Amino acid sequence: MKFMKLGSKPDTFQIDGNNIRYVASELATDVVVQVGDVKFYLHKFPLLSKSARLQKLVSSSNEGNSDEINIHDIPGGPTAFEICAKFCYGMTVTLNAYNVIATRCAAEYLQMHEAIEKGNLIYKIDVFLNSSLFRSWKDSIIVLQTSKSLLPLSEELKLITHCIEAVASRASVDVSKVDWSYTYNRKKLVEENLTDPSWHGVRTREVPSDWWVEDLCELEIDMYKRVMTAIKNKGIVSNEVVGEALKAYAYGKLPGSGKNVVPQNDVSKFRSILDTIVWLLPQEKGCVSCSFLLKLLKAAISANSAESVKMELVKRIGQQLEEASVSDLLIRACDAGVEEGMMMYDVNVVKKILEEFTMADKNEIEENGGEIKEIRRPGILSEASKLMVAKIVDGYLVEIAKDPNLPLSLFIGISEMVSGFSRPAHDGLYRAIDTYLKEHPGIGKSDRKKICKLMDCKKLSADACMHAVQNERLPLRVVVQVLFFEQVRAAASSGSSTPDLPKAIKDLNSGSYGSSRSATTTNTNTNTDEDWDAVASAEELRALRGELAALRLGNEVVGGGESRSGNSERGAAVSKMKGLIMSRRIFSKIWSNKAPAVENSGSDSSESLGSTNQDEAKCTPTRRGRHSVS
């Protein structure tokens, strides 16, 4: 730390108790200066020779026949006044970064200008500030910190402005010119290199571009905002470094290192910090991580920041959503657990983030001179970004599906927002759907049908198919479709162009529906939509797997192996599955929208789960309750 000594005479100020200061001298004191609760017994001549205000005050006291002067509003209080008084006596005083601003303001109050005496205190302090302290990085920060308690005079004298400019200029210096021991990572570097014989100290290490970041974290938010604004305005420091600075400050000042836990007694303070950090964020995408932005959003929601602040964060997160993780997106609802029936997570804000992400591919509307026109442009989102976001959303759906209070409409709404993003596998989506069905066992057939329509059974892996065909939570139509596409895949892998299917199914695939239509019309026991949307029992699932396994071997649909057990209930399930498989109506539903070699999205493929051939519907018998066909 730099300092300046003024005066050459020995310090003869004495203390008597806590509230008395006097000068030890052969001459009797002739004036008493009351500063706050401290009395100074001094001599008029040294004081009057350097202070215009004291001249006026002494003159006024003489007219009133009093030798006491009261000064209650001097900046810096008794300590700063004592330094000024010692300077008047020519005694040795030491100025440094901690006391120089208070002394400068006190000297201004006492009017210790050059017009009173050459080389007066104000002049000397200004020289010290400009030639020494403002050229020192650490001292400039200390000076800036001390100036806040001396407002508004320190602002009026432009001391704060000069100090901010000094700090911003030092932070903007090329790192190759930073040749002194900096604070950033100093301890870490020492610890890392204690065993390195080639290490000779921090000065020998390359200075990082964000060497100044941690030192600025010592500033209060209002001063920090002004310094960072000055640094950004210079345009020398990169946006990435500015982002690192904001991140370091947020982690240092916000509770729980950025977690969304804000003490209620400090809400206004932390809200101010959040608002300022968001306001200071560079406009360019990627200057801060998506994870950091989501932490800010969590804190903003917890602190109940302004809607404009939250929406700004939502917009920025949406621009780089592919960088997020599932845990980042699990934003707790503000009052989760306080009221019964409330959702655990703020799903709506994640929906807004997804909307921002998907808007990047939409056309822009521009108004020019009252004329509105649509600007068509190719999508700017890469396929890789879309794929990553789709995977993130699948994982997010798995987590929020565990919430018993999550409405089905929100689950479906989130899923459909990325349904147009092509992805090779729907395993993650299947897991999310299965989790929702498991945690919400009371949902009806119609809702099960809606949620299962989100996934494409052709895009399930072998492991997912194996799980699905044993899943008693899925509707029958989904289980049949999974098994059937597994059969097609198995045939393709064995080198066959198409599996050896029964004629009724081949007719469905080729579009020849004549014979099966008549058969269906005459069959009074045809299963209804309610049969298909119902959940299969364990016995029915085993029977269905057995029937489809027979197809894989190229045999006709048989159930004899299952019925030989003699179990009448088992035989009924087998017969029922036999009737389901041979039913023209069933497979028309499965195959009505089947197209070869097309990369379908989840929403496209879901149509095949519930669509019905209109011609077929005309000749379908009246719907009946679910029953076995023998």
Side-chain angles (χ1 to χ4, degrees), residues 33-40 42 47 51-54 57 69-86 88 99 101-112 121-122 125 149-154 157:
V33 181
Q34 178 85 37
V35 182
D37 58 353
V38 178
K39 286 188 175 182
F40 290 87
L42 305 171
L47 300 179
S51 171
R53 179 179 283 268
L54 287 177
L57 292 174
I69 302 170
N70 290 314
I71 302 176
H72 296 291
D73 56 349
I74 183 171
T79 302
F81 175 80
E82 183 174 335
I83 293 175
C84 293
K86 289 180 179 180
C88 293
N99 62 17
I101 295 298
T103 305
R104 174 65 177 82
C105 290
E108 186 70 26
Y109 176 89
L110 295 173
Q111 299 175 5
M112 301 175 73
L121 184 56
I122 290 177
I125 290 177
S149 62
L150 296 160
L151 292 169
L153 186 56
S154 59
L157 297 175

Side-chain angles (χ1 to χ4, degrees), residues 502 505 547-548 550-551 555-560 577-579 581-582:
I505 302 175
E547 296 299 322
L548 268 293
L551 291 180
N555 299 323
E556 294 183 356
V557 179
V558 292
M577 291 302 102
K578 190 186 304 182
I581 294 171
M582 294 302 296

Side-chain angles (χ1 to χ4, degrees), residues 205-493:
R205 299 297 295 264
E206 182 179 352
V207 178
S209 57
D210 57 349
W211 59 267
W212 47 271
V213 164
E214 289 185 1
D215 286 330
L216 292 191
C217 292
E218 300 172 8
L219 297 175
E220 292 299 319
I221 188 61
D222 52 347
M223 291 296 180
Y224 183 82
K225 178 180 180 179
R226 295 178 63 178
V227 170
M228 289 303 301
T229 301
I231 291 174
K232 290 174 65 178
N233 289 341
K234 287 184 177 296
I236 298 174
V237 177
S238 68
N239 291 321
E240 288 75 15
V241 175
V242 171
E244 282 298 315
L246 296 175
K247 182 178 178 180
Y249 192 86
Y251 274 77
K253 295 294 184 179
L254 295 178
S257 298
K259 296 178 181 178
N260 56 329
V261 181
V262 178
Q264 291 303 309
N265 58 333
D266 288 327
V267 168
S268 59
K269 174 184 175 182
F270 291 113
R271 188 183 298 137
S272 174
I273 294 174
L274 277 167
D275 294 353
T276 301
I277 291 173
V278 173
W279 185 82
L280 288 170
L281 286 171
Q283 293 298 318
E284 287 72 18
K285 171 185 174 181
C287 57
V288 292
S289 67
C290 188
S291 177
F292 173 61
L293 290 173
L294 279 159
K295 285 183 173 65
L296 290 180
L297 180 58
K298 291 177 182 179
I301 292 173
S302 182
N304 196 24
S305 294
E307 195 64 24
S308 58
V309 174
K310 289 184 279 191
M311 288 311 299
E312 177 65 19
L313 288 169
V314 166
K315 178 181 177 182
R316 290 175 177 272
I317 294 166
Q319 292 173 350
Q320 51 194 95
L321 183 58
E322 66 274 12
E323 303 172 11
S325 66
V326 173
S327 60
D328 290 333
L329 290 174
L330 294 176
I331 302 172
R332 283 275 179 181
C334 288
D335 300 319
V338 177
E339 298 182 17
E340 186 177 355
M342 289 189 64
M343 290 189 297
M344 294 169 55
Y345 301 107
D346 194 336
V347 181
N348 289 306
V349 75
V350 175
K351 191 174 181 181
K352 292 177 183 178
I353 292 171
L354 278 169
E355 289 172 356
E356 289 292 335
F357 179 80
T358 55
M359 280 178 62
D361 266 4
K362 294 182 179 179
N363 296 331
E364 292 182 345
I365 303 298
E366 183 181 86
E367 183 175 357
N368 187 11
E371 181 183 354
I372 300 177
K373 61 179 181 178
E374 185 178 33
I375 303 175
R376 297 192 176 277
R377 60 173 183 174
I380 63 173
L381 296 177
S382 68
E383 291 303 316
S385 295
K386 294 178 182 179
L387 177 59
M388 286 188 285
V389 169
K391 288 183 177 179
I392 292 169
V393 171
D394 288 348
Y396 178 73
L397 288 172
V398 171
E399 296 302 321
I400 64 173
K402 301 172 185 177
D403 183 356
N405 297 319
L406 177 70
L408 179 64
S409 58
L410 262 181
F411 182 97
I412 293 176
I414 293 289
S415 178
E416 288 181 341
M417 293 186 74
V418 296
S419 61
F421 297 171
S422 177
R423 51 197 192 270
H426 276 202
D427 286 17
L429 184 55
Y430 167 71
R431 183 185 173 198
I433 292 171
D434 184 50
T435 302
Y436 191 89
L437 294 176
K438 181 179 180 180
E439 298 296 332
H440 303 77
I443 68 172
K445 296 178 183 179
S446 175
D447 288 339
R448 287 178 186 271
K449 180 178 178 180
K450 288 178 183 178
I451 195 171
C452 288
K453 285 173 67 176
L454 296 171
M455 67 175 174
D456 186 347
C457 295
K458 294 190 295 295
K459 293 185 178 182
L460 296 181
S461 67
D463 289 340
C465 287
M466 183 180 298
H467 186 279
V469 297
Q470 302 177 69
N471 193 340
E472 299 181 21
R473 291 182 284 272
L474 297 178
L476 274 173
R477 71 170 72 239
V478 178
V479 177
V480 170
Q481 193 174 28
V482 170
L483 282 166
F484 190 75
F485 287 127
E486 184 66 8
Q487 163 69 12
V488 173
R489 180 160 47 191
S493 63

